[in-house]
Amino acid sequence: MVARWRRQRRRSGNRQSPPPVTYSNIVTNTHNVGGGNGLAENSLGRNPSPSIPQKPISYLYGEPTIRFTNQEVASMVEQQDLKYAVVGKFSHGMPSIAFLRMAIPKQCSLKAEVNIGLLHNRHVLIRCSIEEDYVTLMSRPNFWIKENSKSFLMRTFKWDIGFTPEEETSMAVIWLSFPNLPPNFYVPSILFSIASAVRRPIAIDAATLNKTRPSCARVKVEADLLQEHPQRYNIQIMNGEEMETMSYKIRYDFLPKYCTTCMLQGHDLQGCWKEHPELQPEKRNHGEDSVVAAAKGKAPNPTLPPTNPSRQNPNPKPLPTAPNPPPRNGLP
């Protein structure tokens, strides 16, 4: 009896934090406000999509071609557990794939089962089974994967069917803030409706859910860095025949840059070294940078260090000359 009473007391003393609200909870109406895990039973293997029949072969310019519809491609994504797939990119070395299968779920604080495989020589494909783990991986710009005394930098990107190892996707996860929005609009479905003006919303921060910050609501969304993003939004309230319109500002907490020349995240065309070689910092002790020199039509000489005129002797002494050799055999 005493042991049972202690177990019940421990259970009653554990207060659970409010369940996470994700976009899939809203559209499927599976978010339990009063408790529970708050996540839809959306493991990708549990709800198999309808099978796709074998396709006939046609020919385009003499080459065999297979045609699919957008619905069939979406069904393939579901069947191959790619709905919440994330690409992990290692730019400066990476551990073995066997170690990553054990380390990524632990060091990245993932809650459900994930499937990790080698996608390229420095890219791994992480197939998440729940949206919460997808949000966790996409919410941080990078992760440090530690193996013994070494740390490897892993950046995460959204996977799509157009993935190529040489290019980074223009899709990124960003935070939107809605300052001065009245707290009565902090209903999750309403916040997701507002955030959908930018792109697909995926989560709401804890302070907004807990009602501890009524001055500003924050929503996490997937955004395309190549598109223009709205700066304001309007809310209209109908009162009989009258319409009241209220305008509010959208604040982007951090919007990554994207370069359409390098096809990489982190900088734009204004800061691209390929488009503007003069912006690249010069290398020390190697004279003029080779990229800058090539842009100016000069031939760089990286082997010779630059001379310092202030250290040159203005009056150099002449070198001593060797004396004339003596005559041989009496000859001058």
Side-chain angles (χ1 to χ4, degrees):
M1 294 293 294
V2 175
R4 183 183 302 175
W5 175 80
R6 288 177 178 175
R7 288 195 298 268
Q8 292 176 355
R9 185 177 180 181
R10 283 197 297 266
R11 292 194 190 103
S12 61
N14 294 332
R15 296 183 178 179
Q16 297 182 354
S17 58
V21 178
T22 59
Y23 185 70
S24 61
N25 305 148
I26 300 299
V27 297
T28 58
N29 196 21
T30 58
H31 177 64
N32 185 4
V33 180
N37 58 7
L39 289 175
E41 296 294 333
N42 201 12
S43 180
L44 299 182
R46 298 179 185 175
N47 299 319
S49 302
S51 60
I52 302 175
Q54 183 176 351
K55 294 290 184 177
I57 298 295
S58 59
Y59 289 87
L60 180 65
Y61 306 114
E63 299 177 348
T65 304
I66 307 174
R67 295 192 178 102
F68 299 95
T69 63
N70 290 332
Q71 292 77 10
E72 291 173 337
V73 173
S75 177
M76 298 177 200
V77 172
E78 291 278 354
Q79 293 182 22
Q80 295 301 314
D81 300 345
L82 293 168
K83 183 177 180 180
Y84 301 130
V86 177
V87 176
K89 180 178 180 181
F90 293 85
S91 300
H92 307 285
M94 62 178 293
S96 64
I97 189 64
F99 176 80
L100 291 176
R101 289 192 176 105
M102 298 184 299
I104 289 179
K106 297 180 180 179
Q107 300 186 22
C108 298
S109 302
L110 304 182
K111 297 183 178 181
E113 182 181 358
V114 294
N115 185 303
I116 301 175
L118 185 64
L119 188 60
H120 193 250
N121 56 1
R122 59 177 183 173
H123 296 79
V124 294
L125 182 63
I126 308 172
R127 307 177 198 231
C128 302
S129 57
I130 61 175
E131 189 176 15
E132 186 176 355
D133 286 343
Y134 169 80
V135 173
T136 300
L137 290 173
M138 294 294 295
S139 297
R140 293 175 55 182
N142 54 65
F143 293 85
W144 286 98
I145 306 300
K146 297 180 180 180
E147 182 184 19
N148 298 328
S149 60
K150 297 181 179 180
S151 297
F152 300 90
L153 178 65
M154 182 184 74
R155 300 167 59 204
T156 53
F157 303 92
K158 177 183 173 62
W159 176 89
D160 57 27
I161 60 174
F163 167 80
T164 56
E166 297 79 12
E167 301 177 1
E168 294 179 358
T169 178
S170 62
M171 299 296 298
V173 172
I174 61 175
W175 279 105
L176 302 180
S177 295
F178 305 126
N180 303 322
L181 179 66
N184 59 291
F185 292 103
Y186 284 19
V187 181
S189 59
I190 303 303
L191 292 176
F192 280 166
S193 299
I194 300 174
S196 62
V198 177
R199 195 73 181 192
R200 175 178 174 267
I202 57 177
I204 300 174
D205 76 331
T208 304
L209 292 176
N210 295 332
K211 305 178 179 66
T212 57
R213 190 187 57 235
S215 61
C216 179
R218 298 180 73 229
V219 181
K220 188 178 296 182
V221 300
E222 291 178 352
D224 190 348
L225 302 179
L226 296 179
Q227 294 182 352
E228 295 185 1
H229 304 96
Q231 301 298 320
R232 302 188 68 86
Y233 65 98
N234 300 319
I235 292 180
Q236 292 184 336
I237 301 177
M238 297 185 61
N239 185 8
E241 297 181 354
E242 298 181 356
M243 180 77 70
E244 180 182 1
T245 302
M246 298 175 291
S247 181
Y248 300 98
K249 182 180 179 181
I250 300 178
R251 186 175 65 199
Y252 298 87
D253 292 1
F254 175 72
L255 193 62
K257 298 179 180 179
Y258 191 82
C259 179
T260 54
T261 299
C262 303
M263 306 300 289
L264 299 175
Q265 294 187 19
H267 66 276
D268 53 11
L269 288 177
Q270 287 72 22
C272 179
W273 290 356
K274 291 183 179 180
E275 295 290 337
H276 306 281
E278 66 278 3
L279 298 178
Q280 188 173 4
E282 297 183 1
K283 300 179 181 179
R284 295 182 178 180
N285 300 329
H286 288 285
E288 193 172 25
D289 185 81
S290 58
V291 178
V292 179
K296 295 181 179 180
K298 300 179 181 180
N301 189 3
T303 59
L304 297 178
T307 58
N308 191 348
S310 62
R311 295 185 178 181
Q312 295 181 358
N313 191 355
N315 298 317
K317 295 181 180 181
L319 297 176
T321 59
N324 297 327
R328 292 178 296 176
N329 299 330
L331 296 178

